[in-house]
Structures are given as structure tokens and as C-alpha cells.
Amino acid sequence: MSLQEALQLSRASKLVNERLDGGWTVVEQLTRPGELGAEDLTGSWFSFGYVAEKGGKKAFLKVVDVERALADDGKTSLMNRLKNLTDVHTFECDILDVCTKARLDKVVQILGKGEIPAAANAPMGIPIPYILFEHAEGGDARKLVSRSNKIDDAWRLSVLHQVAVGIQQLHSQDIAHQDLKPSNILLFSKDGSNAKIGDLGRASRKGTDTKHDLENWAGSTRYAPPEQVYGLIPEHWVDRREGCDLYHLGSLAIFLFTGVSLTSYYVSNISKDVLPKAWTGNGTCDYKTALPVLTSVFTSFIDNVCCALPEWGKAELSQIIISACNPDFTKRGDLNARKKQGNPIGIETFVSRFDRLAKRALVEVRQ
Ligand SMILES: Nc1ncnc2c1ncn2[C@@H]1O[C@H](COP(=O)(O)OP(=O)(O)O)[C@@H](O)[C@H]1O
Ligand SMILES: [Mg+2]
């Protein structure tokens, strides 16, 4: 059975017009991984996204497809699939609760959670667990960049500033996001000016080990920092988790200004015997051996992307990208902060640098 056929079968895929507790009605289904326009979605096979409405107000609804998880996938046992599903859902709810309690205003807010009861005509039917979020009416950054020709440097830098604040807020709660790609950056106004971090499904929490924490990289392979795809696991939380979020912030800057990805550049410019398997190489080279090659290709990448950066901010922006995306994870982050006790990544420096650049861009755009 194809992915598309499988997606059509369960009740969780047909929820339009269903009513939820609290007076919400499901009004629209959103694109799924595997569908055209959703190439960047790595989300679970077992979830669907919808828009729900109440009195003219919208919300984003994420439902868990338990029915389909129950069906045999020929790969894992039923109990394993169910455990996975409950672990993933419970973990996302718990992390979102921490963010709500801490009032993190640059992280998507949850409006409620619950279960849609089994259909009345199906006594053995299965309820559908869900999480209801505030609705990002501007969509996500990936969609906006691909569809809009109105974005300017002031918008790009303001989004980068807001995402940096979101990362700082998460790190202050000992949470690292680990999957900060453009489709997980949500825009909460029609003009896309209010950005927040979404999709905490692959996050890490200090002191809590979830299944994806044991994987070399938790988020998308296309955005993973080099040390992770080469199988090197940094010993310290700051390097392993906060360093990865910072790498994603730098990658987001690259994407917003150039539309290209650093990983694609590595893949096109490094020979197969040095590339890891995850990036279509033959995977025989380790991180330490590959690092000089990665560093030299990274330097040529920076030279290439410089022309896409605004003239007035080129020097500082390329410096920010170099310190956020350095293939050597020990050199990533603000160098002064890294010398302090505990070697903090210095996210506050990136917050203030993007803030200053965003303000300057407003003046430059007007001129
Ligand atoms: N709060 C929201 N408002 C509007 N759209 C959203 C919201 N949250 C997510 N989306 C859309 O749904 C997509 C998938 O949601 P996400 O939470 O990232 O789940 P997944 O685990 O499937 O990646 C996002 O890339 C975005 O386009
Ligand atoms: Mg996502």
C-alpha cells in the first residue's frame, strides 16, 4: 500500500466538520509529509494537521493517528509502535507544558489537549488524541519564503532575532529544540512579522532521556550539523544540544538570505569517500579526518553566499554565520562566552546582534 493510500484510511485523516471540546470545529486539513508542497516535513507518519475554528477564531490541530499505528507496518511489533506513539505524544505535551508554565512567548502556545471520542456508530472505535495550538496565520517560514516576493532584509533579520530569543528562552528551561528548520518556524500575523518556534516533538530536555535522544541526530538529516552525521557525540550538553540549535539558527540565516542549504553545498563539493552515509557518501571517514575538508568547503561556501547578504551588513552577518555554523563544534558560538566557566554558547550575543541588525535594516530599507 502506498503512503497516500495508507493516509486515506483512518478516521484521523477525515476529521473535517468534527467537533472538539470547547466549541471548536475542524474546518480544513493541512498538507502531509509525502504530499506535494510538504517535502520538508519530517513529522511522524502517525500525525495529521488541521485548522479548527471557533467563533471566527482559528487554531492549529495536531492529531495522533492511533488507528493506523495499530495496523501492521511489517517492521515493528504492535507494542513497540504503541509505546513509540504514546512516548512521542506524551513527551511533546510535557515539553509544551514546561514552555507554557515558563511563559515562553517566542514558542508556540498550546490552547488545549484532549481526545476526540470514538465515532458513535463504531462501539469498538478508537478515540483520537489531539493537541490544539494557537494558529499561525502567516504559515511557516519555508512556505512563506517559497511563496512571497515581498520579504525584505528587515523581515529576515527580525525573524532571526525572534528565533534567537526563542532558542534563548528554551535553553533557559534546559530544553534544546534540535529540529529548527524553516518549516518549524511559525508566523503569527498575516504579514509574517511575529515569529515563534514550533514543533517541539524532537526536543531534548536535560535530565530526561527520550528515544530520539539516543539517535545521533534528532531532527532532519538535511539540517543536521556535521559532527552528528559523522557519528561523533559531543560529551557536553552545551556542545551536543545547544551547539546544534545554534547551527540551525545559522542555517536559517543562510536559507532566508540565499534560499540554499549548507548541507547541499557539502554534498556537492565533498567527495563520496569523505561524505558520511547520511549525506549520500560511502561513510568510511570519521569526523576528525573529515574536519579539514569540511572547514575548507565551509570557507568557500561563505565566500559564495556573501554576495547574497546586504552590503551594509555583510561583514557582521557572515561573521555570525561562521560562528553559528562552524563545522568544528568546539569553535561554534560566541568566542568570549566559550571561555567562561561551563563554556556557554553565548546565545544572548546572537540575540543582541540580530536585534541591532534588524533595527539597522529598517533604516536601510527606508532609504
Ligand atoms: N500553530 C500552527 N499554526 C499553523 N500551522 C502550523 C502550526 N503548527 C504547525 N503548522 C503547520 O503544520 C506543519 C507540521 O506541523 P509540525 O508541528 O511541525 O509537525 P510535524 O511533526 O508533522 O513536523 C508545519 O510545518 C506548519 O506548516
Ligand atoms: Mg515540523
Side-chain angles (χ1 to χ4, degrees), residues 225-346:
E227 68 277 9
Q228 294 188 345
V229 282
Y230 277 94
L232 187 133
I233 297 173
E235 189 188 342
H236 300 292
W237 166 271
V238 168
D239 291 325
R240 182 170 182 197
R241 302 298 182 198
E242 298 188 8
C244 171
D245 282 353
L246 184 64
Y247 184 90
H248 286 161
L249 177 65
S251 304
L252 182 67
I254 294 168
F255 170 78
L256 292 182
F257 280 101
T258 70
V260 299
S261 105
L262 178 52
T263 300
S264 309
Y265 193 80
Y266 281 138
V267 171
S268 313
N269 291 280
I270 296 180
S271 64
K272 290 259 181 216
D273 55 322
V274 178
L275 274 181
K277 276 209 177 87
W279 285 350
T280 68
N282 67 21
T284 50
C285 193
D286 65 16
Y287 176 64
K288 209 172 151 210
T289 317
L291 196 50
V293 180
L294 286 161
T295 305
S296 117
V297 173
F298 179 62
T299 307
S300 82
F301 176 77
I302 295 295
D303 290 345
N304 276 325
V305 296
C306 263
C307 59
L309 303 176
E311 201 52 48
W312 57 267
K314 192 175 276 186
E316 182 158 17
L317 261 171
S318 49
Q319 273 315 313
I320 292 178
I321 294 172
I322 291 169
S323 45
C325 295
N326 200 314
D328 183 346
F329 70 85
T330 63
K331 295 189 181 142
R332 214 171 281 155
D334 175 63
L335 289 185
N336 289 326
R338 298 294 268 164
K339 288 180 199 143
K340 293 184 187 156
Q341 201 183 0
N343 314 108
I345 210 88

Side-chain angles (χ1 to χ4, degrees), residues 34-286:
E35 287 175 4
L36 207 61
E39 297 81 357
D40 196 29
L41 301 182
T42 47
S44 139
W45 249 75
F46 299 125
S47 85
F48 284 92
Y50 289 91
V51 178
E53 223 173 68
K54 176 169 82 170
K57 192 181 163 197
K58 285 184 174 174
F60 173 72
L61 175 74
K62 198 166 173 174
V63 303
V64 184
D65 191 352
V66 182
E67 229 178 295
R68 198 151 50 81
L70 287 175
D72 188 5
D73 70 353
K75 290 183 201 136
T76 48
S77 73
L78 169 67
M79 291 318 222
N80 253 332
R81 290 197 300 280
L82 285 181
K83 180 170 181 338
N84 238 337
L85 203 65
T86 45
D87 284 354
V88 168
H89 180 69
T90 312
F91 175 75
E92 191 168 355
C93 290
D94 289 351
I95 286 265
L96 285 161
D97 280 346
V98 174
C99 298
T100 305
K101 279 200 190 100
R103 297 171 191 270
L104 306 190
D105 65 355
K106 284 292 147 195
V107 176
V108 61
Q109 278 178 21
I110 181 169
L111 301 178
K113 56 192 171 201
E115 286 178 2
I116 303 171
N121 57 359
M124 294 291 283
I126 297 161
I128 299 173
Y130 68 83
I131 310 176
L132 200 64
F133 296 88
E134 57 177 334
H135 183 244
E137 51 175 328
D140 67 62
R142 180 183 172 277
K143 284 186 204 149
L144 191 117
V145 168
S146 64
R147 284 177 198 162
S148 171
N149 52 7
K150 287 195 197 127
I151 56 176
D152 59 23
D153 293 336
W155 178 80
R156 294 184 176 99
L157 289 159
S158 161
V159 167
L160 289 163
H161 169 240
Q162 294 174 71
V163 173
V165 172
I167 296 174
Q168 186 180 31
Q169 292 181 346
L170 287 170
H171 291 185
S172 76
Q173 300 301 311
D174 286 337
I175 296 170
H177 187 282
Q178 305 298 280
D179 196 17
L180 281 167
K181 55 189 175 184
S183 62
N184 287 338
I185 307 303
L186 303 173
L187 303 161
F188 286 83
S189 45
K190 275 213 175 88
D191 64 356
S193 60
N194 180 14
K196 295 189 189 190
I197 293 175
D199 194 359
L200 285 119
R202 310 294 292 174
S204 283
R205 190 156 186 227
K206 224 187 231 175
T208 316
D209 265 347
T210 56
K211 188 166 165 276
H212 59 254
D213 280 330
L214 304 175
E215 293 162 15
N216 281 358
W217 60 95
S220 160
T221 315
R222 269 172 66 186
Y223 292 94
E227 68 277 9
Q228 294 188 345
V229 282
Y230 277 94
L232 187 133
I233 297 173
E235 189 188 342
H236 300 292
W237 166 271
V238 168
D239 291 325
R240 182 170 182 197
R241 302 298 182 198
E242 298 188 8
C244 171
D245 282 353
L246 184 64
Y247 184 90
H248 286 161
L249 177 65
S251 304
L252 182 67
I254 294 168
F255 170 78
L256 292 182
F257 280 101
T258 70
V260 299
S261 105
L262 178 52
T263 300
S264 309
Y265 193 80
Y266 281 138
V267 171
S268 313
N269 291 280
I270 296 180
S271 64
K272 290 259 181 216
D273 55 322
V274 178
L275 274 181
K277 276 209 177 87
W279 285 350
T280 68
N282 67 21
T284 50
C285 193
D286 65 16

Side-chain angles (χ1 to χ4, degrees), residues 19-30:
R19 286 178 168 273
L20 311 178
D21 283 349
W24 294 94
T25 305
V26 184
V27 292
E28 183 194 344
Q29 186 173 38
L30 298 172

